[in-house]
Amino acid sequence: RQTMSDALQEDKGCKLPSAVQNGAFLAMEQTLYQFSLTFGSCIRIKSTKMPASYTLFMRSFLVSFFGLLSLVWAPKLEWFTPILTGIISLLIQTVIVIGDQMIRPFDVQWSGLPLKTFCIIMETEIMTSSRRNSEFRKQRE
């Protein structure tokens, strides 16, 4: 709030009404509040480690499940059994890998947060706001 106030008062030729300044302060505070909540949630996710036994248990369970599944399906599906079992196990393993990667939200990977996109959007918004402020000053002169 102080930084924004200083920036608005720095430009002595541009006096904004107090209602506009208050609206800008309120919008900025709400945005920062939402950002801090989101960031706090991501920090909690990152600091909460998933026990390795969960992944180990799931993989062991899937190996035994698909081993028994192949025996049950073999009389009906015959040669198609390994193909179908392989496709289903691949899909379930992919879901497990995605879940393991989503536990680390700050990693730069395909399932992480789009931090680069977020930074580009923020930079674009700041530059647009600065450009509007310059145009407003030129109109006032």
Side-chain angles (χ1 to χ4, degrees), residues 108-128:
V108 180
Q109 59 191 2
W110 60 274
S111 67
L113 292 174
L115 296 178
K116 185 175 183 178
T117 305
F118 177 74
C119 291
I120 290 171
I121 290 171
M122 290 300 292
E123 182 181 4
T124 304
E125 291 294 324
I126 291 169
M127 296 303 287
T128 303

Side-chain angles (χ1 to χ4, degrees), residues 83-120:
I83 296 170
L84 186 62
T85 305
I87 290 171
I88 294 172
S89 66
L90 180 67
L91 291 173
I92 292 176
Q93 290 291 342
T94 303
V95 169
I96 291 173
V97 169
I98 290 172
D100 287 344
Q101 289 181 352
M102 288 180 78
I103 292 172
R104 299 180 301 272
F106 296 112
D107 286 355
V108 180
Q109 59 191 2
W110 60 274
S111 67
L113 292 174
L115 296 178
K116 185 175 183 178
T117 305
F118 177 74
C119 291
I120 290 171

